[in-house]
Amino acid sequence: MMEATWQTLATWFGPTWPAVWVLLKIIALLIPLMLAVAYLTFAERKVIGYMQVRIGPNRVGPKGWLQPIADALKLLFKEVIFPTQANKGLYVIGPIMALTPALLAWVAIPFGENTWIANLNAGVLFVLAVTSLEVYGVIIAGWASNSKYPFLGAMRASAQMVSYEVAMGFGLISVLLVAGSLNFIDIVHSQAQGRFAEMGLGFLSWNWLPLLPLAVVYFISGVAETNRAPFDVVEGESEIVAGHMVEYSGMAFALFFLAEYANMILVSFLTSIFFFGGWLSPVGFLPDGLHWLLIKAAVFLFLFLWFRATFPRFRYDHIMRLGWKVFVPITLIWLFVVTVWLLSPLSIWR
Amino acid sequence: MEFQTVVFYLFGAIAVAAALGVILVRNPVHAALCLVLVFFSSAAIWLLLEAEFLAITLVLVYVGAVMVLFLFVVMMLDINVDRLREGFWSNLPLGLLVAAVLVVEMLLVLTGDVFRQASSPPALPTDASNTESIGRVLYTLYSYPFELAAMILLVAMVAAVSLTLRKRKDVRYLDPAEQVKVKAADRLRVISMPAEKE
């Protein structure tokens, strides 16, 4: 039935069919992603509400379930204000540059054995490169606003995001070493083998156990990379109001918001794929599937919200210290350990 | 025209226009952003040559890290364009000399054997890993030049750090490790005393 439908569509569009097919796949990815972003904001307000012994939003729709829709509509209909002294062109490009990499990185993410938009053989590098562009949105917005708080936010962002990228990149080197590939699907496959996987205890042969310090460093660096609490000095409400977003209103502001939440979901997916076996089932008697990836990502998203409700904001110099003096040495030492382990007869990988 | 040719000319035109922008626009921040665009379109052209590792690394290193720090500095500087122009005529001869040397060098490279091939090399199979082949060559055939380059970069990095490192004596600095080690007994003394009456 499905095959026949695709065949008819393919003959219909003729030579343009590959392009149409990719566009369809992109739409099939973007719509759930945008819905996930919308309902992640709702989940955040609910979760933090319950953690602070409040109820959270409960007025719009049944139990407050239409709250994100109402928020989106409100932001859509608000006027986008341009400050007089702002650099108009760059002021518009800022939010676009924030959202584009956040969505572009999803191209290379696999959701299952055969479910992906593009299966790149250097997929990990691609995602690293694209996520390294995220900082431009913040910097451009902060500079183009031509006002002090946004500029301070931009300066903080450029230093912080570059620093934590180093820790994330170094953490990934060991993952690439044990997988022997830059391809996401190969990295997941490499976690499906080992003594425990043969015993039906797959979750013990995932990367998180042998690479535990790196998994922790990677996820915490991911929190810092997305500028989420407790590393949200870029926004720092108590000092610089909202950082690079101070002058933005309406949909331009919403784009930053979308980018931040899309990045949170991306980091959760990447952590699940690199360290927690992606779509692999944790135990032998249950089948693998997309639902496992979604469950794992949801757990990490919950951690994001939990962190925000729990930890006070870091001071700026402590963020820098944590990134450069704690995380980078840990990743380097573990890289050494993994290399020796990999070449020794005790190697569990090959 | 082939699709690849269209893509090549598109990104080539963007790269040339952006490169002109780097030297022609007045605002230094705009110039830095133009440079980002140059890197980006060059990366796209490298992708056309099936050099995906180099292309992605160009974006990762130059666009993602180097240019961010560059922008960081340029944005902080309060550059007066008029003052910069004062030295234009006196510096012109030196500039022309450097430009001439660059042009000669590029002509020598472009007229060399590598660029004289009329057709592009045959397409590689889709599962060929560019990263792996570069790694193989880099760590066997070119391992000495590679390590030499690494050492030079390391020396430059240490030199840059030591040149700018200034230790201020009067700054109050907290050591988190020491803070964590503090025990309540070091700071606080609980004494028992009889209740006092008015």
Side-chain angles (χ1 to χ4, degrees):
Chain A
M1 174 61 198
M2 283 296 272
E3 286 293 314
T5 324
W6 296 136
Q7 286 293 328
T8 351
L9 275 175
T11 44
W12 227 28
F13 282 102
T16 57
W17 172 243
V20 176
W21 177 227
V22 170
L23 277 178
L24 284 178
K25 283 202 275 192
I26 292 174
I27 292 168
L29 172 72
L30 274 189
I31 289 173
L33 182 63
M34 285 296 131
L35 279 176
V37 166
Y39 277 91
L40 182 57
T41 64
F42 181 64
E44 174 167 37
R45 293 165 72 177
K46 275 286 186 192
V47 166
I48 293 180
Y50 283 119
M51 283 181 181
Q52 295 167 346
V53 207
R54 324 182 258 114
I55 294 172
N58 68 342
R59 292 288 136 171
V60 190
K63 300 264 179 198
W65 274 92
L66 294 180
Q67 183 69 45
I69 313 291
D71 287 344
L73 283 178
K74 186 192 95 172
L75 285 168
L76 265 175
F77 287 115
K78 282 214 163 187
E79 182 190 356
V80 178
I81 297 165
F82 288 86
T84 353
Q85 294 295 312
N87 195 315
K88 294 277 173 345
L90 288 181
Y91 186 79
V92 176
I93 291 176
I96 298 173
M97 277 299 288
L99 186 62
T100 316
L103 298 182
L104 184 60
W106 285 93
V107 158
I109 306 288
F111 297 92
E113 214 59 52
N114 297 309
T115 325
W116 28 262
I117 293 182
N119 183 14
L120 307 174
N121 52 12
V124 176
L125 263 183
F126 176 81
V127 169
L128 272 178
V130 169
T131 48
S132 73
L133 301 180
E134 273 158 21
V135 65
Y136 277 99
V138 180
I139 299 187
I140 292 175
W143 185 78
S145 299
N146 201 358
S147 111
K148 288 196 179 63
Y149 286 165
F151 189 62
L152 282 173
M155 293 289 102
R156 289 178 173 194
S158 54
Q160 178 184 330
M161 289 168 91
V162 169
S163 306
Y164 278 87
E165 237 167 59
V166 174
M168 278 178 113
F170 276 157
L172 283 185
I173 293 177
S174 301
V175 177
L176 303 180
L177 263 182
V178 301
S181 172
L182 282 166
N183 181 300
F184 281 109
I185 294 178
D186 288 345
I187 289 175
V188 173
H189 282 169
S190 79
Q191 300 180 55
Q193 54 203 359
R195 191 169 299 160
F196 288 115
E198 281 155 24
M199 286 161 61
L201 295 168
F203 69 102
L204 289 174
S205 21
W206 296 344
N207 276 339
W208 69 273
L209 194 58
L211 304 179
L212 186 61
L214 300 179
V216 174
V217 166
Y218 184 82
F219 185 65
I220 297 178
S221 304
V223 178
E225 187 72 9
T226 46
N227 296 326
R228 291 287 302 179
F231 302 99
D232 58 346
V233 288
V234 172
E235 295 170 37
E237 297 93 340
S238 52
E239 311 131 34
I240 52 173
V241 191
H244 57 285
M245 297 183 278
V246 171
E247 306 289 351
Y248 284 89
S249 62
M251 211 48 210
F253 168 76
L255 288 188
F256 283 116
F257 220 72
L258 285 177
E260 183 177 328
Y261 283 81
N263 277 329
M264 281 165 67
I265 302 177
L266 181 72
V267 167
S268 306
F269 268 82
L270 287 176
T271 315
S272 318
I273 291 173
F274 286 138
F275 296 100
F276 290 86
W279 57 85
L280 299 176
S281 149
V283 280
F285 56 86
L286 291 172
D288 301 339
L290 174 64
H291 53 286
W292 288 115
L293 183 58
L294 296 180
I295 290 170
K296 288 164 191 171
V299 170
F300 290 112
L301 282 173
F302 180 76
L303 278 180
F304 265 102
L305 310 183
W306 194 1
F307 287 167
R308 182 170 169 197
T310 309
F311 296 117
R313 186 174 294 133
F314 264 76
R315 211 176 67 195
Y316 192 73
D317 56 328
H318 284 211
I319 290 185
M320 284 297 148
R321 178 186 158 275
L322 185 71
W324 287 105
K325 293 188 177 172
V326 180
F327 283 175
V328 172
I330 288 179
T331 52
L332 287 178
I333 290 169
W334 211 253
L335 176 64
F336 183 73
V337 170
V338 167
T339 321
V340 173
W341 193 357
L342 203 60
L343 294 174
S344 75
L346 294 172
S347 168
I348 53 172
W349 289 287
R350 246 157 273 168
Chain B
M1 220 171 4
E2 252 185 293
F3 179 66
Q4 283 188 339
T5 325
V6 176
V7 175
F8 172 78
Y9 279 111
L10 176 68
F11 283 106
I14 294 175
V16 171
L20 284 175
V22 175
I23 50 173
L24 291 180
V25 295
R26 281 163 162 260
N27 192 324
V29 172
H30 292 178
L33 289 172
C34 280
L35 191 55
V36 171
L37 192 57
V38 175
F39 283 134
F40 217 87
S41 8
S42 317
I45 292 175
W46 281 2
L47 269 184
L48 268 185
L49 291 171
E50 300 186 356
E52 78 264 9
F53 179 78
L54 286 178
I56 296 175
T57 315
L58 181 72
V59 173
L60 182 62
V61 175
Y62 280 90
V63 181
V66 173
M67 286 314 293
V68 173
L69 297 180
F70 210 84
L71 268 178
F72 184 92
V73 174
V74 171
M75 284 176 178
M76 298 258 263
L77 297 175
D78 187 22
I79 297 175
N80 189 341
V81 182
D82 291 331
R83 263 230 325 276
L84 280 179
R85 294 196 162 191
E86 277 172 12
F88 182 77
W89 290 107
S90 56
N91 289 334
L92 191 61
L94 186 66
L96 283 179
L97 185 70
V98 173
V101 172
L102 274 177
V103 167
V104 170
E105 278 179 351
M106 285 179 81
L107 279 179
L108 286 177
V109 171
L110 288 175
T111 53
D113 288 337
V114 184
F115 286 93
R116 217 174 287 158
Q117 290 171 349
S119 61
S120 54
L124 296 167
T126 46
D127 60 338
S129 173
N130 192 258
T131 318
E132 199 182 324
S133 32
I134 287 184
R136 218 169 273 281
V137 176
L138 209 56
Y139 289 103
T140 53
L141 207 55
Y142 296 104
S143 71
Y144 287 123
F146 178 65
E147 299 204 341
L148 203 63
M151 282 313 291
I152 292 172
L153 283 175
L154 181 68
V155 169
M157 197 167 77
V158 172
V161 171
S162 63
L163 274 177
T164 52
L165 188 68
R166 277 178 301 162
K167 195 91 183 166
R168 271 184 66 176
K169 291 271 167 20
D170 56 337
V171 68
R172 293 173 72 191
Y173 180 72
L174 300 175
D175 184 359
E178 261 176 44
Q179 285 182 312
V180 172
K181 268 187 257 164
V182 166
K183 294 203 175 58
D186 302 342
R187 298 273 169 92
L188 186 76
R189 195 158 49 96
V190 181
I191 53 171
S192 59
M193 55 183 287
E196 285 180 29
K197 279 182 194 157
E198 285 284 319

